[in-house]
Amino acid sequence: MSNRETKTDVILIGAGIMSATLGTLLKELVPEWEITVFEKLAKAGEESSNEWNNAGTGHAALCELNYTNEKPDGSIDISKAISVNEQFQVSMQFWSYLVNSNLLQNPQDFIMSLPHMSLVQGEQNVTFLKKRYEALSNNPLFHGMEFSDEPEKLMEWIPLIMQERASNEQIAATKIDSGTDVNFGALTRMLFEHLENKNVDINYKHAVNSIKRTSDGMWELKVRNEDSGTVERHTAKFVFIGGGGGSLHLLQKSGISEGKAIGGFPVSGIFMVCNNPDVVAQHHAKVYGKAKVGAPPMSVPHLDTRFIDNKKELLFGPFAGFSPKFLKHGSMFDLITSVKPDNLLTMLAAGAKNMSLTKYLIQQVMLSKEKRMEELREFIPNAKSEDWDLVVAGQRVQVIKDTEAGGKGTLQFGTEVVSAADGSIAALLGASPGASTAVSVMLEVMTKCFPEHMKEWEPKIKEMIPSYGVSLMENPELLHEIHTSTAQILGLSEKEQVLVHSLDEEAKVLNEKV
């Protein structure tokens, strides 16, 4: 046991995008509050937020077909798409504020402009996509979306996908140029660097072993220093558990009633990454397809241009996998130790309900590289096996809980905040759209946990996020204003993007000459 003990206002567990966002918001609103961060790994953004563990889509529902379901009457429900898009606009506004205030520099290091596309095959899917396009393109949030089922136009949009494709194949796509690729790993690291400059006490290689309530209403954490092996005690008025897949175990240790009867189901992802620069150069978009029957929404196949360390990459996936770990750097016992008396029946019910999902995941794990190549060839007909390598992505833990709509043991696909009734502790669980909606989700945490402060904080929040409390869909003028200013500040307008790319190309040529 170490003699190190601290008392602080706020403890953030996990150095991912969620803690980075909450810490940054609080430092702007109440700079005098003391904040301490504990992260088990050696640096920030190494788990779910890392650029190789995160699709980086900048989820704005521009291309993800699972956010727009077809109703029994054949109409398309776009309510989820609207909600996700509005949440992403909130993130964009906050990042713009940070760049504009010189709290973050070089936005092109974490965000790039990139078309978002949906691609479908077969008559039924083409009909669905056209209906989806008609429902979305009339909405100001999705202004500028185009639809085409003409091979010539598709060849112009996605040459790599259209080459050597059978001429009689029914295929259609939508395209919207206002999409983005976001490097959440880079953004997380930049935000933690900023927090360090604001005197936030960041402790890497520190694992939280236990959380308990003290008699005076504070939270006491036992934290193991991974380097020295000593255990330290730290207390705080408010604790945020933002440890990705690791959050469920810590929520259970807190003992709050709101964390009872909640389970977690881990799903891992495998991407294929292209190692041939000539192939990479032929594709410039994020192209999302339709999930196979029985596949979880996070396994929607997509062919993505990515910008990682200022280098253009091409990734395809994700192929789902199963591992009992809740974190990539987790333990093989994570799943079994998450089963408690209060969530046992919920977990058993989920297991019985999701036999097809379990079967699907096992099949995915067993896939050979050639089988994965066959799936890739649905996107790139002439893909060559030697051009592609496998990369294991991050672990995601889907929430399992009892719901009115789904009954006992319902598998939830999304991001959820669980907080104590008195607002003294909150945990973030779940997966996609996750990182893209971090700012909205952290504002939700603040509303639940600091209701007494929200009124006094509101003017500052509105300065950071002009659309706070307002529906952008119902205010097209404000939406246009925000789109224009965020594009300009974040360097997303087309001319600036072309300039950034041409400067990058020039730099490459110079490097090669040197």
Side-chain angles (χ1 to χ4, degrees):
M1 183 70 81
S2 158
N3 58 6
R4 187 183 173 207
E5 289 190 25
T6 65
K7 270 193 176 180
T8 188
D9 295 304
V10 172
I11 286 178
L12 307 174
I13 303 174
I17 189 64
M18 295 296 174
S19 292
T21 301
L22 182 57
T24 305
L25 280 165
L26 289 174
K27 269 293 161 192
E28 288 303 293
L29 295 166
V30 270
E32 66 278 11
W33 280 11
E34 289 181 353
I35 300 177
T36 303
V37 181
F38 295 110
E39 166 57 53
K40 196 164 76 170
L41 301 178
K43 51 186 180 187
E46 284 295 278
E47 276 282 354
S48 301
S49 308
N50 187 273
E51 50 270 45
W52 289 104
N53 294 338
N54 186 302
T57 301
H59 286 294
L62 304 174
C63 57
E64 307 91 331
L65 299 174
N66 53 306
Y67 293 145
T68 46
N69 292 325
E70 193 165 0
K71 295 189 208 167
D73 67 359
S75 64
I76 306 294
D77 179 3
I78 64 167
S79 56
K80 178 86 187 273
I82 289 166
S83 161
V84 170
N85 188 291
E86 293 236 2
Q87 287 181 316
F88 186 62
Q89 304 292 344
V90 168
S91 291
M92 295 272 275
Q93 290 169 70
F94 183 56
W95 302 335
S96 299
Y97 163 81
L98 294 173
V99 171
N100 217 20
S101 311
N102 287 321
L103 301 174
L104 287 184
Q105 271 84 38
N106 306 327
Q108 70 278 3
D109 287 347
F110 73 86
I111 189 165
M112 294 291 253
S113 187
L114 192 71
H116 280 198
M117 297 180 63
S118 305
L119 178 78
V120 297
Q121 291 145 292
E123 188 183 352
Q124 202 178 342
N125 288 333
V126 170
T127 304
F128 162 76
L129 189 67
K130 188 153 199 187
K131 283 199 286 190
R132 177 185 182 271
Y133 160 72
E134 284 161 0
L136 289 176
S137 56
N138 289 326
N139 188 297
L141 292 168
F142 301 92
H143 177 71
M145 184 179 276
E146 299 173 74
F147 171 90
S148 182
D149 54 6
E150 293 168 18
E152 298 78 21
K153 178 54 87 176
L154 296 175
M155 190 69 185
E156 195 185 299
W157 286 354
I158 38 174
L160 186 64
I161 289 173
M162 293 304 290
Q163 281 164 26
E164 295 182 34
R165 195 169 281 281
S167 56
N168 61 350
E169 193 177 340
Q170 280 198 295
I171 186 165
T174 55
K175 175 174 180 272
I176 186 161
D177 289 327
S178 57
T180 54
D181 175 63
V182 185
N183 184 329
F184 284 106
L187 176 59
T188 301
R189 293 188 290 273
M190 289 161 88
L191 289 174
F192 272 105
E193 209 175 298
H194 157 69
L195 288 174
E196 224 161 344
N197 294 334
K198 292 274 183 180
N199 298 320
V200 169
D201 179 19
I202 303 170
N203 301 270
Y204 295 111
K205 294 175 124 179
H206 278 67
V208 177
N209 285 350
S210 73
I211 306 177
K212 67 169 191 187
R213 203 80 196 253
T214 59
S215 54
D216 58 358
M218 301 275 280
W219 287 98
E220 183 184 85
L221 279 62
K222 278 188 188 167
V223 183
R224 180 184 160 83
N225 180 325
E226 298 284 310
D227 275 339
S228 66
T230 55
V231 175
E232 308 161 356
R233 289 179 193 276
H234 300 272
T235 53
K237 296 172 195 163
F238 171 74
V239 174
F240 172 69
I241 306 171
S247 293
L248 179 61
H249 280 111
L250 292 169
L251 175 65
Q252 290 172 334
K253 284 175 181 178
S254 75
I256 62 168
S257 58
E258 293 80 2
K260 305 283 185 206
I262 294 176
F265 185 79
V267 180
S268 65
I270 296 169
F271 278 89
M272 299 185 85
V273 59
C274 186
N275 58 39
N276 184 336
D278 294 339
V279 176
V280 176
Q282 293 175 60
H283 187 75
H284 191 76
K286 284 184 184 282
V287 180
Y288 271 56
K290 216 163 188 274
K292 286 191 160 51
V293 175
M298 63 169 291
S299 295
V300 171
H302 42 100
L303 182 68
D304 288 2
T305 296
R306 298 288 312 274
F307 296 98
I308 297 176
D309 296 331
N310 291 321
K311 185 182 170 218
K312 191 174 174 182
E313 302 275 4
L314 183 58
L315 276 75
F316 175 75
F319 297 93
F322 178 77
S323 160
K325 292 179 178 183
F326 277 10
L327 290 164
K328 205 171 173 179
H329 298 88
S331 157
M332 296 302 271
F333 298 104
D334 283 344
L335 177 58
I336 198 77
T337 56
S338 74
V339 180
K340 308 287 182 195
D342 62 72
N343 69 5
L344 176 62
L345 292 176
T346 300
M347 294 287 279
L348 289 172
K353 274 185 186 174
N354 292 285
M355 290 306 284
S356 60
L357 173 61
T358 310
K359 187 181 166 195
Y360 168 81
L361 292 175
I362 292 165
Q363 286 168 343
Q364 288 272 295
V365 172
M366 306 300 285
L367 285 180
S368 63
K369 184 177 179 186
E370 200 37 52
K371 283 284 179 202
R372 296 182 204 278
M373 288 304 300
E374 281 173 26
E375 293 202 21
L376 171 58
R377 287 184 191 114
E378 288 181 22
F379 275 73
I380 307 174
N382 60 1
K384 293 179 180 66
S385 192
E386 62 268 25
D387 291 343
W388 295 83
D389 302 313
L390 291 180
V391 173
V392 178
Q395 285 287 107
R396 299 287 185 270
V397 178
Q398 311 291 159
V399 175
I400 295 171
K401 64 179 197 180
D402 306 334
T403 66
E404 265 181 52
K408 202 155 195 68
T410 304
L411 198 56
Q412 304 283 98
F413 294 102
T415 308
E416 284 201 36
V417 174
V418 178
S419 57
D422 67 353
S424 62
I425 190 167
L428 189 86
L429 306 172
S432 188
S436 302
T437 59
V439 182
S440 280
V441 175
M442 291 305 102
L443 286 169
E444 183 193 333
V445 166
M446 284 159 50
T447 304
K448 283 183 169 185
C449 298
F450 306 110
E452 71 281 12
H453 293 289
M454 291 308 284
K455 200 153 186 62
E456 65 180 277
W457 290 349
E458 196 171 302
K460 181 67 181 176
I461 295 174
K462 282 190 169 165
E463 183 195 325
M464 298 189 284
I465 300 151
S467 74
Y468 179 68
V470 174
S471 159
L472 283 171
M473 185 185 78
E474 289 165 17
N475 291 270
E477 278 180 22
L478 178 61
L479 174 64
H480 177 70
E481 207 177 290
I482 284 165
H483 262 173
T484 307
S485 68
T486 55
Q488 193 183 350
I489 295 164
L490 297 174
L492 300 175
S493 54
E494 237 165 76
K495 279 180 188 170
E496 282 164 351
Q497 278 298 306
V498 170
L499 179 66
V500 166
H501 284 297
S502 62
L503 287 172
D504 275 356
E505 292 307 314
E506 279 173 36
K508 264 185 214 160
V509 172
L510 280 171
N511 281 339
E512 279 164 14
K513 281 181 182 171
V514 169

